[in-house]
Amino acid sequence: MSLSAQPAAADGPTGAAYRRGPFRVGERVQLTDERGRMNTITLADGGAFHTHKGFLNHAEIIGRPDGSVVTNTAGHQYQALRPLLSDFVLSMPRGAAVVYPKDAGQIVTMADIFPGARVVEAGVGSGALSISLLRAVGDGGYLHSFERRQEFADIARGNVETIFGGPHPAWRISLGDFQDEVVAAEEPGSVDRVVLDMLAPWECLEAVATVLAPGGVWINYVATATQLSRTAEAIRADGRFTEPDAWESMVRGWHLEGLAVRPEHRMVGHTGFLLTTRRLAEGVAPLVRKKRNKAEFSEEDLNAWTPESVGERTVSDRRLRRVARDARAGSQEA
C-alpha cells in the first residue's frame, strides 16, 4: 500500500483508521453506476477508471468523503464507497475457494470467537476466514494459522495486509501439516478455539484434543456429507468431546421494487457444512445420549392410519378396471 494511503492517525484497533475519513491514494473503492453495476478500483495518483462510456479520473475521488457521487467525462454518475468485508472477500485475489461471508459469520458466532481469544486455524486458503477471525479476536487476541502451501500463505498474507493496512499484531502464519505443527507450537490445553477448513479434519483429532482447553470449541467446515459423517463419527468414537452438532445455511435475497416484492431467482445455496463440538475436561467421559425406544403402535393406532381416516377418497375396484381399460385403449391407439 502506498505511503500516501496511510491515515493521519493510526490510533485505535488495527485497520480501523482505514475504514474512516476521506478516500486516500492506495485505497480500494467500489464504484456503482446508475444500473447497479459495480467495479472495484485502487486509487492511484494520475490514475483513471476507463469504460466504453468515458473515463473517471481518480483525482475526482481522492479526498472526497466515503459515500460520494462522482461524474465521469461523459456525464455518467458513480456512487463511491469503501468495500465492505463481504465485498472485499468476494473480489480479492484468491488461489483457493474462499469461505463465503455467510459461513464466516456463522463460524465467528457459533464458535464464540471472542476478543482476546487464542485461536488456531488450518486451511488458510486465500485468507478470507482469517480476516474475520482477526477482527473477532482483536489486537489483544491470538490467531495462529497453518497452511501447507507457500503460495496460499503468500496470497493470504497479502489479502490480510491489504484490508488491515499492514501486518496484524495478533496473527501468526506457519507452513506445514496442522496435526504435526500445532502440537509443537502450542502448549497443551492453551487454545480456546480450533477452526478447521480442510479435507480430512478427523486426521487432526489427536492434535485438537491436545491443544484445546477444556470447554473449548472445535468447529469444522467441510464440503460434503461423507466428510461430515466421518468427522462426526470420529469425534464420537474418541470420547473426549461433546456430541457434535451440524448444520448448513442458505441465503436468498429479495427483489424490492414498489409492490414487486419477491424472492430473487438466484440464491447462495450449499457452500459447506459446519460441525461443532467442545472439549471435555481431562478424564471425563461424554454423556451417553439416550435414544428413543422403537415406537410401538396399538391396533387402534394402526387403524387410524387408513386412507379413509386421513381423508383420501376411496376408489372402487370397478372404477380402477375402467381406468385400466381406458389406459390400454389409449396406448393401442397411439
Side-chain angles (χ1 to χ4, degrees), residues 154-170:
D154 292 340
I155 294 169
R157 184 178 291 108
N159 287 327
V160 167
E161 294 186 4
T162 294
I163 198 163
F164 287 108
H168 196 288

Side-chain angles (χ1 to χ4, degrees), residues 40 129 153 172:
T40 301
L129 181 56
R172 176 184 175 189

Side-chain angles (χ1 to χ4, degrees), residues 222-251:
V222 295
T224 69
T226 50
Q227 289 172 291
L228 180 67
S229 175
R230 185 163 180 182
T231 304
E233 292 307 316
I235 289 171
R236 290 190 180 110
D238 180 78
R240 288 176 285 183
F241 297 89
T242 61
E243 177 69 14
D245 292 314
W247 73 95
E248 66 174 331
S249 62
M250 301 182 185
V251 175

Side-chain angles (χ1 to χ4, degrees), residues 15-33:
Y18 294 88
R19 312 299 299 167
R20 305 187 181 104
F23 291 120
R24 309 171 185 92
V25 171
E27 280 196 284
R28 292 165 69 92
V29 176
Q30 185 175 277
L31 299 176
T32 307
D33 66 14

Side-chain angles (χ1 to χ4, degrees), residues 34 49 51-56 71-78:
E34 294 104 322
F49 170 61
T51 72
H52 66 287
K53 295 182 178 180
F55 63 91
L56 174 66
T71 306
N72 74 357
T73 55
H76 294 283
Q77 292 186 316
Y78 294 90

Side-chain angles (χ1 to χ4, degrees), residues 17-327:
Y18 294 88
R19 312 299 299 167
R20 305 187 181 104
F23 291 120
R24 309 171 185 92
V25 171
E27 280 196 284
R28 292 165 69 92
V29 176
Q30 185 175 277
L31 299 176
T32 307
D33 66 14
E34 294 104 322
R35 301 189 65 179
R37 292 172 297 199
M38 292 188 294
N39 289 276
T40 301
I41 64 173
T42 301
L43 296 177
D45 283 322
F49 170 61
H50 289 266
T51 72
H52 66 287
K53 295 182 178 180
F55 63 91
L56 174 66
N57 289 316
H58 290 189
E60 295 292 325
I61 305 173
I62 297 169
R64 286 178 178 263
D66 199 352
S68 295
V69 174
V70 292
T71 306
N72 74 357
T73 55
H76 294 283
Q77 292 186 316
Y78 294 90
Q79 182 177 271
L81 290 163
R82 285 188 174 93
L84 301 176
L85 174 59
S86 57
D87 301 319
F88 178 80
V89 163
L90 295 177
S91 64
M92 70 185 189
R94 64 179 71 177
V98 299
V99 174
Y100 269 70
K102 73 179 182 69
D103 295 318
Q106 292 261 320
I107 289 170
V108 168
T109 301
M110 302 306 288
D112 188 31
I113 311 294
F114 57 90
R118 291 182 58 85
V119 182
V120 296
E121 69 159 337
V124 177
S126 301
L129 181 56
S130 303
I131 294 170
S132 292
L133 295 175
L134 286 169
R135 281 191 166 186
V137 302
D139 292 1
Y142 175 78
L143 174 64
H144 194 171
S145 304
F146 295 86
E147 175 55 55
R148 297 177 64 182
R149 297 185 59 178
Q150 180 71 57
E151 301 89 344
F152 287 163
D154 292 340
I155 294 169
R157 184 178 291 108
N159 287 327
V160 167
E161 294 186 4
T162 294
I163 198 163
F164 287 108
H168 196 288
W171 195 38
R172 176 184 175 189
I173 185 167
S174 299
L175 288 175
D177 290 326
F178 174 82
Q179 57 265 47
D180 298 326
E181 300 297 328
V182 72
V183 292
E186 307 296 338
E187 293 293 328
S190 64
V191 173
D192 298 307
R193 305 290 184 260
V194 175
V195 183
L196 299 187
D197 173 16
M198 59 197 309
L199 184 64
W202 55 86
E203 295 179 351
C204 302
L205 198 149
E206 186 62 38
V208 173
T210 299
V211 301
L212 191 59
V217 179
W218 175 17
I219 187 164
N220 298 277
Y221 180 73
V222 295
T224 69
T226 50
Q227 289 172 291
L228 180 67
S229 175
R230 185 163 180 182
T231 304
E233 292 307 316
I235 289 171
R236 290 190 180 110
D238 180 78
R240 288 176 285 183
F241 297 89
T242 61
E243 177 69 14
D245 292 314
W247 73 95
E248 66 174 331
S249 62
M250 301 182 185
V251 175
R252 182 175 67 177
W254 279 69
H255 172 86
L256 301 172
E257 189 171 341
L259 296 178
V261 180
R262 56 168 174 75
E264 294 284 3
H265 298 306
R266 300 178 65 184
M267 68 179 290
V268 181
H270 174 76
T271 49
F273 298 104
L274 291 171
L275 182 145
T276 60
T277 186
R278 300 184 68 177
R279 179 70 161 95
L280 293 170
E282 198 64 39
V284 174
L287 293 177
V288 178
R289 179 163 292 188
K290 294 182 179 180
K291 298 181 180 180
R292 293 180 179 178
N293 294 327
K294 185 177 180 181
E296 296 182 359
F297 298 102
S298 65
E299 190 68 25
E300 182 181 357
D301 293 328
L302 295 174
N303 290 336
W305 291 94
T306 61
E308 294 83 357
S309 298
V310 297
E312 288 189 8
R313 295 179 61 183
T314 58
V315 182
S316 66
D317 292 342
R318 180 178 179 183
R319 176 173 173 78
L320 288 175
R321 287 193 294 270
R322 184 171 67 250
V323 173
R325 285 197 301 270
D326 292 342

